[in-house]
């Protein structure tokens, strides 16, 4: 499972620095603008070869310049072309002004934007670029609303107007594109928060940028793909179950026993040598019937948990744990241990209340609601800047934080940030987080460091959902487990 996109992800400031370095190295700004227009025009013709008509909605910056040059290319190709200028062409400067002049010289009709103007053919969003930080203002907000209400196919140049390039936050009004063509460096905001819902299909063009020049600018994050993931070493012919760790899953209060069992089964199928489940005594019989390979223990108190903690190499704490006295007592015991730990679900809710402290070297897996409780803020604030929220979690709790959601993010206390853009909407189903927690526990048990385990686990989990997604609605969490096993074998073969 591979793709053609780069792994480096940049913020808007870094992209501007890339532009500046390319210009300083000898490629003029207007030449870069021409290359961008050609790339967008090629993508438009591949997607809609028989459209025959284009309406470009242009703002007043370099993004508009790309649009004017695309309009000139379409005019020369004999298409019906029109530019609706939302930004006054008389205020254009520099390369954007040159682009507008070229469009005029080609005979492209340029009209002022008005709300009643008919929108025809493929709509090209050349309104607002990567520099937008505040809410979209008029007349741009009305133009974006008209694009979205038109029912016409939409191509966004660089990124959909109104989308924050850094965070994926929707800045008031955002174009919903069918196709986005982005340049030089991938913007982080295209892949997280509101980005995946607005970008449509994504095409990247490096505009023939010199790789050495690009490498001079540090990226904000890395995008996980098959080639950038850590690999678990092949197993020797003399391997035995004790070589691959014992994972102890702690959870499953009354009514939520399935959550802990899902985690235990996922850990088993992802290669842990042994898996133990500490759960309510009422769940033992059902667990043995479901998965006899898991050593299921009924525990009433911390006393009966002590021996299990002593034998475990990795703890997975929280799936179905609850916040009642039973769960509180078990997590208090786990918090005193020094083994690598994955904290999920109610373990995070108890952590947010201050009832327990997180041991060092842990991996936490909050969804946005849990992240908001941990950071003492609103879900909206988390979603408005997911990269900042993930980093804040890692810093505040001294752990690796895996922030779930569209564009899952993995942050380390040292500042590293990774993004997983795999997945499928069919994964919106209960229990998938429990499976992920078990996968992470198994990877830790096989000696991956927390950050590398979180990156690989997030990718395996999301890629499994993506592989099953075409079957449609009704995806159950347990459906993922055999597919994760298969993907793990493809990524890290058991034998050399």
């Amino acid at each position: 499972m591979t793709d053609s996109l780069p792994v480096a992800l940049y913020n808007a400031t870094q992209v501007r620095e890339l532009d500046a370095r390319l210009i300083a190295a000898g490629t003029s700004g207007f030449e870069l603008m021409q290359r961008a227009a050609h790339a967008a025009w090629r993508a438009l013709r591949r997607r809609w070869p028989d459209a025959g008509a284009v309406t470009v909605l242009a703002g007043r910056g370099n993004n508009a310049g790309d649009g004017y040059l695309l309009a000139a290319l379409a005019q020369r190709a004999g298409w019906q072309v029109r530019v609706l200028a939302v930004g006054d062409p008389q205020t254009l400067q520099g390369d954007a002004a040159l682009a507008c002049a070229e469009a005029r010289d080609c005979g492209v009709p340029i009209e002022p934007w008005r709300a009643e103007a008919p929108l025809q053919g493929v709509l090209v969003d050349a309104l607002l670029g990567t520099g937008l930080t505040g809410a979209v203002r008029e007349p741009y907000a009305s133009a974006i609303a008209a694009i979205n209400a038109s029912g016409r196919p939409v191509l966004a140049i660089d990124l959909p107007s109104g989308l924050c390039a850094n965070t994926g936050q929707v800045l008031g009004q955002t174009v919903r594109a069918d196709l986005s063509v982005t340049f030089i460096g991938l913007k982080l905001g295209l892949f997280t928060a509101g980005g995946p819902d607005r970008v449509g299909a994504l095409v990247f063009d490096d505009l023939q940028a010199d790789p050495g020049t690009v490498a001079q600018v540090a990226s904000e994050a890395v995008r996980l793909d098959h080639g950038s993931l850590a690999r678990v070493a092949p197993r020797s012919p003399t391997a035995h179950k004790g070589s691959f760790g014992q994972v102890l899953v702690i959870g499953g209060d009354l009514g939520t026993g399935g959550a802990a069992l899902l985690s235990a089964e996922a850990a088993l199928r992802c290669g842990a040598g042994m898996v133990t489940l500490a759960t309510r005594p009422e769940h033992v019989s059902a667990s043995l019937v479901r998965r006899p390979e898991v050593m299921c223990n009924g525990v009433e108190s911390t006393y009966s948990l002590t021996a299990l903690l002593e034998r475990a190499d990795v703890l997975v704490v929280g799936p179905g744990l609850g916040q009642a006295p039973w769960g509180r007592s078990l997590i208090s015991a786990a918090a005193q241990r020094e083994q690598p730990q994955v904290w999920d679900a109610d373990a995070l809710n108890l952590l947010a209340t201050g009832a327990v402290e997180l041991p060092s070297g842990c991996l936490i897996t909050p969804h946005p609601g849990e992240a908001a409780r941990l950071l003492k803020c609103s879900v909206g604030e988390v979603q408005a800047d997911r990269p900042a929220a993930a980093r804040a979690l890692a810093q505040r709790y001294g752990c690796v934080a895996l922030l779930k959601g569209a564009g899952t993010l993995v942050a380390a206390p040292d500042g590293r940030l990774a993004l997983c853009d795999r997945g499928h909407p069919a994964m919106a189903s209960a229990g998938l987080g429990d499976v992920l927690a078990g996968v992470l526990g198994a990877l830790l048990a096989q000696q991956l460091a927390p950050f590398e385990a979180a990156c690989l686990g997030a990718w395996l989990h999301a890629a499994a959902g993506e592989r099953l997604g075409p079957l449609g609605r009704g995806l159950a969490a347990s459906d993922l487990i055999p597919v994760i096993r298969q993907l793990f074998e493809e990524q890290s073969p058991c034998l050399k």
Side-chain angles (χ1 to χ4, degrees):
M1 186 176 295
T2 59
D3 59 45
S4 58
L5 296 176
V7 298
L9 299 174
Y10 299 91
N11 61 36
T13 301
Q14 292 164 340
V15 171
R16 285 193 290 273
E17 184 179 350
L18 284 171
D19 270 333
R21 286 181 180 270
L22 292 171
I23 292 169
T27 304
S28 72
F30 191 67
E31 172 64 21
L32 289 174
M33 190 174 284
Q34 288 177 313
R35 293 177 186 176
H38 277 278
W41 174 234
R42 287 194 299 271
L44 189 155
R45 285 183 300 162
R46 283 195 300 268
R47 180 66 179 268
W48 300 288
D50 301 319
V54 171
T55 301
V56 177
L57 291 95
R60 58 185 183 188
N62 283 347
N63 196 250
D66 298 338
Y68 280 111
L69 290 178
L70 184 149
L73 292 169
Q75 181 79 5
R76 293 189 189 108
W79 284 36
Q80 181 182 343
V81 183
R82 183 172 54 151
V83 173
L84 297 177
V86 182
D88 184 355
Q90 300 302 318
T91 65
L92 294 173
Q93 297 179 348
D95 296 329
L98 293 175
C100 180
E102 181 167 326
R104 288 189 190 279
D105 291 344
C106 288
V108 173
I110 301 174
E111 308 168 19
W113 153 260
R114 61 188 193 282
E116 63 274 15
L119 301 177
Q120 300 173 336
V122 178
L123 308 186
V124 176
D125 165 24
L127 292 169
L128 302 166
T130 60
L132 183 68
T133 55
V136 175
R137 294 179 293 191
E138 293 292 353
Y140 293 94
S142 294
I144 290 172
I147 291 172
N148 292 338
S150 69
R152 308 300 307 171
V154 179
L155 179 146
I157 293 182
D158 210 15
L159 81 169
S161 292
L163 187 72
C164 179
N166 297 343
T167 67
Q169 181 185 10
V170 173
L171 299 172
Q173 288 272 9
T174 307
V175 167
R176 289 185 179 271
D178 299 291
L179 175 67
S180 297
V181 186
T182 197
F183 314 114
I184 300 178
L186 289 176
K187 290 77 183 170
L188 178 57
L190 295 169
F191 297 95
T192 194
D197 194 38
R198 272 77 177 181
V199 168
L202 182 63
V203 172
F204 171 76
D205 195 292
D206 66 4
L207 305 189
Q208 305 168 43
D210 174 57
T213 303
V214 173
Q216 295 171 11
V217 179
S219 63
E220 177 77 359
V222 295
R223 192 181 61 85
L224 301 177
D225 74 356
H226 189 275
S228 65
L229 296 165
R231 282 174 165 71
V232 175
R235 297 188 172 184
S236 74
T238 57
H240 57 84
K241 64 185 180 183
S243 305
F244 308 108
Q246 181 166 340
V247 175
L248 172 60
V249 178
I250 302 171
D253 201 351
L254 296 176
T256 52
L261 184 56
L262 282 169
S263 291
E265 185 172 353
L268 184 72
R269 291 297 195 180
C270 214
M274 292 176 281
V275 179
T276 302
L277 174 59
T279 188
R280 282 282 194 177
E282 291 87 342
H283 298 147
V284 171
S285 295
S287 298
L288 289 173
V289 171
R290 164 78 183 189
R291 185 52 62 203
E293 299 89 346
V294 172
M295 295 174 284
C296 189
N297 293 262
V299 297
E300 292 281 12
S301 65
T302 57
Y303 176 79
S304 52
L305 185 65
T306 301
L308 302 178
L309 290 169
E310 292 289 342
R311 293 196 296 268
D313 298 300
V314 174
L315 309 182
V316 176
V317 187
L321 184 70
Q323 300 182 53
W326 180 81
R328 286 173 176 265
S329 67
L330 299 190
I331 196 173
S332 295
Q336 305 305 313
R337 307 298 301 184
E338 295 182 355
Q339 296 105 316
Q341 301 187 30
V342 179
W343 281 32
D344 182 43
D346 280 320
L348 302 178
N349 292 325
L350 289 168
L351 178 63
T353 67
V356 66
E357 291 187 6
L358 189 71
S360 61
C362 279
L363 198 168
I364 64 173
T365 60
H367 58 56
E370 292 160 347
R373 289 189 282 276
L374 289 166
L375 294 173
K376 313 299 182 191
C377 66
S378 69
V379 174
E381 288 172 300
V382 169
Q383 292 296 85
D385 196 339
R386 285 172 52 83
R391 285 190 163 122
L393 288 165
Q395 287 291 328
R396 179 174 297 188
Y397 293 98
C399 66
V400 170
L402 189 158
L403 178 58
K404 294 182 282 196
T408 290
L409 293 162
V410 179
D414 61 11
R416 285 177 293 169
L417 185 68
L419 179 142
C420 180
D421 61 335
R422 297 291 188 183
H424 192 280
M427 297 176 73
S429 178
L432 271 77
D434 304 313
V435 170
L436 175 60
V439 169
L440 298 173
L443 297 177
L444 291 175
Q446 293 169 89
Q447 303 302 308
L448 284 188
F451 184 79
E452 284 70 27
C455 290
L456 177 55
W459 186 89
L460 289 170
H461 184 262
E466 193 172 274
R467 186 167 287 187
L468 289 170
L471 296 174
R473 297 173 177 85
L475 175 66
S478 57
D479 295 339
L480 258 66
I481 295 174
V483 183
I484 290 172
R485 183 187 181 198
Q486 179 184 354
L487 285 166
F488 191 22
E489 176 62 19
E490 294 172 8
Q491 194 270 342
S492 293
C494 187
L495 296 176
K496 292 182 181 179

